[in-house]
Amino acid sequence: MLPQLAVSAKILCLLMVVICGAVPSMVRSVRLYSQCSHLYVNVFPNGTVMARSGGNDQPNLTISTRGFSLELLIHSPIQDMYLCFNRSKLVGRRLTRFQAERQPNCLFKEEFVNGYNRYHLMKNEDRYIGFNRRGLQLRRGKSRLPERVHKCLDFMKVARGDDFNLDRHNNMLAGDLPKWRPQRRLRPPPQNSIKPPCHGVRHHHGRYQRRKNCDGT
Ligand SMILES: *[C@@H]1O[C@H](CO)[C@@H](O)[C@H](O)[C@H]1NC(C)=O
Ligand SMILES: *[C@@H]1O[C@H](CO)[C@@H](O)[C@H](O)[C@H]1NC(C)=O
Ligand SMILES: *[C@@H]1O[C@H](CO)[C@@H](O)[C@H](O)[C@H]1NC(C)=O
């Protein structure tokens, strides 16, 4: 009796999908880490999109497919906005999913280049999401960007569950839990490092101590 019920429920679900056109889509919770700004893509309440922090970071995004197609929607659940291009500018727009799925300016295609992810408009192979070192948007099409700037179209897609936790762990170690920061190894070492300089130790304690302090952390 029970298994039969389960089967009926499944058939009902399938029917609903067919009738309503509510095709299931893959939804992934991610953050996009810009290879040029070394910060996550952030959607601000006014719809501005930058790859930098605003003090009150909410860089969680969801990337979902439109039905069975390869077209992707990028949504900020916190701001409840979809990422869309308005001419050359990427903005967060308050649309329903129904509306966003019907806006070619909000539908992206994902590319994999040298281990990084890139996103361009499905309908425009030249219109890529990209940010400069200061986290501001690149407004030019890819074909008009110098080759050396192409890396600014690269993102690390950090998925919830894998590096999300690593990130949180690092922040906890740094005593900096509320803010989401890139992993420490990706940043240049700070100028005013608190580690004692190695040569000073060598001077006072000789070879054995130097190895202990400088190589053995
Ligand atoms: C939107 O908000 C961001 C972050 O607070 C700010 O930097 C930016 O200037 C604002 N943009 C506009 C057009 O108001
Ligand atoms: C963002 O995602 C992380 C990891 O899943 C979660 O702990 C955090 O609560 C999320 N932030 C918001 C504001 O939803
Ligand atoms: C696109 O940008 C222009 C100028 O910034 C603005 O006036 C217009 O409302 C925007 N359109 C949409 C659909 O957001």
Side-chain angles (χ1 to χ4, degrees):
M1 194 65 190
L2 266 177
Q4 266 177 347
L5 263 179
V7 169
S8 307
K10 270 183 190 163
I11 289 171
L12 193 65
C13 283
L14 276 173
L15 277 174
M16 281 174 71
V17 163
V18 172
I19 292 165
C20 311
V23 179
S25 72
M26 295 281 292
V27 182
R28 299 196 62 197
S29 192
V30 302
R31 290 174 187 175
L32 296 180
Y33 181 83
S34 162
Q35 285 305 112
C36 272
S37 80
H38 298 288
L39 288 167
Y40 293 106
V41 175
N42 255 311
V43 183
F44 293 90
N46 61 10
T48 296
V49 182
M50 293 189 280
R52 70 180 190 200
S53 335
N56 186 24
D57 278 15
Q58 302 292 0
N60 293 3
L61 299 171
T62 60
I63 295 187
S64 57
T65 54
R66 177 177 176 254
F68 292 121
S69 72
L70 290 175
E71 296 161 306
L72 300 176
L73 289 159
I74 308 175
H75 182 247
S76 162
I78 314 303
Q79 311 296 1
D80 191 18
M81 286 176 174
Y82 285 92
L83 295 198
C84 304
F85 272 102
N86 181 356
R87 295 170 189 275
S88 66
K89 191 180 180 190
L90 185 71
V91 293
R93 288 183 61 189
R94 208 152 261 146
L95 301 172
T96 65
R97 187 178 171 96
F98 184 87
Q99 291 170 322
E101 283 185 344
R102 282 153 186 82
Q103 291 277 335
N105 282 333
C106 309
L107 295 171
F108 294 91
K109 183 163 185 272
E110 189 173 47
E111 275 178 4
F112 305 101
V113 181
N114 302 323
Y116 295 107
N117 298 65
R118 291 182 179 177
Y119 299 89
H120 69 78
L121 276 185
M122 194 72 177
K123 66 154 192 185
N124 182 346
E125 305 234 324
D126 203 37
R127 183 59 65 209
Y128 278 78
I129 299 180
F131 299 91
N132 67 19
R133 283 168 57 177
R134 291 188 299 140
L136 302 176
Q137 290 178 26
L138 303 179
R139 303 281 290 271
R140 277 187 275 172
K142 177 167 173 264
S143 59
R144 293 179 56 216
L145 289 173
E147 189 73 29
R148 68 186 158 76
V149 179
H150 284 186
K151 73 167 196 292
C152 294
L153 310 176
D154 290 342
F155 295 92
M156 274 199 315
K157 189 166 71 177
V158 183
R160 180 189 297 222
D162 39 279
D163 287 1
F164 254 41
N165 292 336
L166 186 63
D167 194 32
R168 170 175 274 250
H169 178 72
N170 282 346
N171 283 325
M172 262 158 73
L173 288 183
D176 196 13
L177 186 58
K179 284 186 197 160
W180 293 99
R181 293 261 179 87
Q183 290 159 30
R184 294 169 76 86
R185 66 187 153 85
L186 295 165
R187 306 178 126 204
Q191 295 292 323
N192 52 347
S193 174
I194 51 168
K195 274 187 183 174
C198 294
H199 56 82
V201 174
R202 176 185 58 197
H203 182 73
H204 288 113
H205 302 285
R207 198 185 202 111
Y208 175 75
Q209 277 292 335
R210 174 175 55 127
R211 285 183 56 195
K212 194 177 168 192
N213 278 291
C214 299
D215 302 332
T217 309

